[in-house]
């Protein structure tokens, strides 16, 4: 019998859209323009990049990739997903593949 494949899912780090949404929620009306002009494909924020640097350090220290036999890194075509995948797993030796059909459902 073939060995079962393990799939690990990672959500993107904080994006500029997350920041603008939080500002809007806090009543900061000036955040409305950035929120609507950045569209659905917002890049990571500075805090998001810091989150990923910390997470990458933990992944490397725990030997996550090696101990779990990660063989492929797949991500959606969204910029924040690409940035997250590469920040966490660049240098691990596994190839990256973009899956154009992976999208958040529209509500």
């Amino acid at each position: 019998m073939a060995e079962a494949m393990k799939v690990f899912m990672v959500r993107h780090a904080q994006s500029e859209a997350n920041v603008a949404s939080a500002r809007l929620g806090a009543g900061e009306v000036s955040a409305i323009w950035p929120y609507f002009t950045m569209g659905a494909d917002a890049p990571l924020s500075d805090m998001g990049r810091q989150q990923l640097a910390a997470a990458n350090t933990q992944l490397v220290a725990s030997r996550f990739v090696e101990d779990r036999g990660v063989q492929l890194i797949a991500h959606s075509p969204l910029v924040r997903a690409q940035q997250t995948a590469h920040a966490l797993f660049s240098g691990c030796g596994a190839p990256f593949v973009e899956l154009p059909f992976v999208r958040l459902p529209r509500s």
Side-chain angles (χ1 to χ4, degrees), residues 1-35:
M1 180 181 284
E3 185 179 336
M5 180 188 314
K6 294 177 186 174
V7 177
F8 301 95
M9 304 290 286
V10 177
R11 187 179 190 276
H12 64 81
Q14 183 188 66
S15 72
E16 290 293 344
N18 298 136
V19 173
S21 179
R23 288 176 52 207
L24 279 173
E28 227 181 290
V29 184
S30 64
I32 199 161
W33 182 251
Y35 183 78

Side-chain angles (χ1 to χ4, degrees), residues 57-94:
T57 299
Q58 291 177 343
L59 285 172
V60 170
S62 70
R63 296 185 42 85
F64 180 87
V65 171
E66 297 84 1
D67 291 350
R68 286 161 183 83
V70 174
Q71 297 176 3
L72 179 71
I73 310 298
H75 59 79
S76 82
L78 295 174
V79 170
R80 62 184 172 267
Q82 294 170 15
Q83 291 173 319
T84 297
H86 286 273
L88 290 178
F89 299 107
S90 284
C92 77

